[in-house]
Amino acid sequence: MTKSPFNKIIISSIFLLAFAALGWGRAEAQVPDFGFGSIVPFKSLQTFFGPLFPPNGIGDTFRSEFGMGMSTPMFDRIKLKGTDTTNNPVSLNLLNSNATTPPDPTATAGWEPIIMTQSLDGGPIIYDFFAKFRAWRFAGKIDYMIFDSHSRRADGSGFFFDSVVLSGDVDIIQGPWLTAGGRLQFFLNQPYFKFNNLNFYYGGKYRPNGQIDQQPTQGKLIDQVYFSGSAPWTIGAYIRYVPPEILGFPMHFDAYADFPLKGSPLQTYGVAFVFRPQIYRFDLFTRLKLERSTFSISADVSTSNPTNPTTSWSLDMLWNLYGAEFGIYF
C-alpha cells in the first residue's frame, strides 16, 4: 500500500502543535509542595505540564457530555482472501465500484451476472451514540457504534461491526491553549463477515486478479462463508489546540492517532474541528471529523459447503471516514 499524504499532514500537525507548547508561560495555579519543594520541582513541572492539581478542587472539574454522530466510511479497499484444501488461492475484490462491470468491458460473453452482485456497500452510514465523563485530567467514554456494510444482494450478507466501545483518556500536558495525552480503546463485540453463495473462478473469463483467460469458464461455489475476528483494542495519542475565539465562536482543533494493541488490527489517523457556541447555561458542540483507517479480520474456518472447505479467510479493508457529531456539555 502506498503511503498516504493524509498521514503526513496529521503527523506534521502534531509535531507543530507540540513545538508550540514550548512557548507557554508559567501556569497560574499554585500547588502545595508539602515541604518537598527542594526535592520535587513542582513549579518547574507545572511550567511544561500545566497545573498538577486543580486550583478549586477536583469536584469543580467534573464535566459530562452526551451526543450522537453520523459518518460515512468511503472504502478504498475491501478484499476477501482464502485458501482452499488444494492450496488454490481465493481472492475477491468486494468493493462495489469494482464489481459493476466485467474486467474487460469489450468482452462480455460468458460474464456471469452473479459476479456483479458480489460486492459490499462502499459507503455505508455509521451511527454512534456516546456519553463521556471527565474529572481533571482523566476522562472515560462509552460508545455504541452501528457499523454495517451490506451486500448488494438482499440475503443478509455483509460485514458487521456493531459494538460497545469503552475508552479512557489522560491529559499528560494541560496548558491554556494546548492539551496532549494518551488513550486506550476497548471494543467489546467481535466483527464478523458473512456471504452467501460465494462464486470464484479459475481458468475462465473472470479471475480474482482481474486477468482475462479465453479458456472455458470453470467456477466454484461456496454456499456460505462466515467468520469473525477478535474484538480490537487500540492505544493512541491525541493533541488539542484551543485558539482564541474566532468570530465569536469558541472552537478547538483535534489531531489523533490510534494503533493496534490487541485483537484484530485497527489503525486510525484523524483530525477534527469542534465548534462550541454558548447557549444559555448549556454548552452545545458540533464536531466535524475526517479519519483514515485500516482494519482486517481473519479466522481459520470451514465453509458450509463440504465439497469446498477452506482453511483460512481474511478480510482486509481501508477507508476514509467523513462525519459529524452533535452533543451537549453539562
Side-chain angles (χ1 to χ4, degrees):
M1 182 182 67
T2 59
K3 294 184 178 179
S4 169
F6 180 76
N7 298 350
K8 295 181 180 179
I9 293 174
I10 296 176
I11 295 173
S12 299
S13 300
I14 291 175
F15 277 107
L16 287 173
L17 293 177
F19 180 76
L22 299 178
W24 288 350
R26 301 184 66 86
E28 294 180 358
Q30 301 296 319
V31 298
D33 62 12
F34 304 106
F36 298 102
S38 60
I39 301 176
V40 182
F42 285 108
K43 292 184 178 180
S44 297
L45 291 175
Q46 286 189 125
T47 301
F48 184 77
F49 293 102
L52 301 182
F53 297 92
N56 299 320
I58 194 170
D60 190 58
T61 67
F62 180 80
R63 188 188 69 192
S64 61
E65 60 186 70
F66 302 89
M68 66 167 294
M70 296 178 60
S71 54
T72 299
M74 303 302 295
F75 283 94
D76 283 345
R77 181 175 68 244
I78 309 177
K79 183 167 288 187
L80 178 67
K81 294 182 179 180
T83 305
D84 63 20
T85 54
T86 58
N87 292 323
N88 287 320
V90 178
S91 179
L92 293 175
N93 188 345
L94 300 183
L95 189 60
N96 60 358
S97 61
N98 294 313
T100 56
T101 58
D104 183 0
T106 64
T108 58
W111 175 252
E112 297 289 345
I114 194 171
I115 299 298
M116 300 175 66
T117 64
Q118 284 192 174
S119 62
L120 301 183
D121 184 0
I125 300 296
I126 297 178
Y127 299 95
D128 183 27
F129 305 90
F130 61 87
K132 189 173 185 178
F133 306 92
R134 171 174 290 277
W136 191 224
R137 293 175 179 260
F138 303 94
K141 185 180 180 183
I142 180 170
D143 294 74
Y144 179 64
M145 178 184 69
I146 303 175
F147 183 0
D148 298 335
S149 179
H150 292 272
S151 164
R152 298 174 69 191
R153 302 197 306 251
D155 59 359
S157 300
F159 166 71
F160 304 93
F161 193 17
D162 299 349
S163 181
V164 175
V165 187
L166 302 179
S167 60
D169 300 352
V170 56
D171 295 343
I172 299 174
I173 298 175
Q174 193 179 73
W177 307 113
L178 189 69
T179 300
R183 68 177 179 181
L184 295 173
Q185 286 191 110
F186 308 95
F187 292 78
L188 303 186
N189 301 86
Q190 294 180 326
Y192 69 93
F193 173 80
K194 181 177 72 172
F195 215 103
N196 299 314
N197 298 321
L198 185 67
N199 288 262
F200 55 98
Y201 290 78
Y202 297 105
K205 284 287 183 182
Y206 173 77
R207 282 188 175 184
N209 59 8
Q211 296 178 353
I212 303 299
D213 193 334
Q214 298 303 321
Q215 299 297 321
T217 299
Q218 296 178 357
K220 291 187 178 182
L221 172 66
I222 295 179
D223 291 342
Q224 184 187 82
V225 173
Y226 175 89
F227 63 95
S228 62
S230 54
W233 292 13
T234 66
I235 184 171
Y238 59 88
I239 191 167
R240 178 178 301 113
Y241 175 61
V242 184
E245 292 186 3
I246 299 177
L247 298 179
F249 284 89
M251 62 174 296
H252 64 257
F253 166 82
D254 291 336
Y256 49 93
D258 296 296
F259 304 94
L261 179 64
K262 182 180 178 182
S264 300
L266 171 63
Q267 181 170 303
T268 299
Y269 300 93
V271 294
F273 290 94
V274 184
F275 301 90
R276 301 173 291 111
Q278 299 286 340
I279 302 295
Y280 299 107
R281 61 189 181 94
F282 299 109
D283 192 1
L284 302 177
F285 68 90
T286 299
R287 186 171 187 261
L288 306 178
K289 63 181 181 180
L290 170 64
E291 296 179 354
R292 184 172 178 86
S293 300
T294 58
F295 187 47
S296 63
I297 60 175
S298 60
D300 293 331
V301 298
S302 295
T303 65
S304 60
N305 188 340
T307 62
N308 287 292
T310 60
T311 56
S312 64
W313 287 102
S314 66
L315 186 67
D316 181 30
M317 292 166 286
L318 168 67
W319 66 80
N320 294 317
L321 183 141
Y322 308 88
E325 296 176 353
F326 308 93
I328 183 170
Y329 294 122
F330 289 94

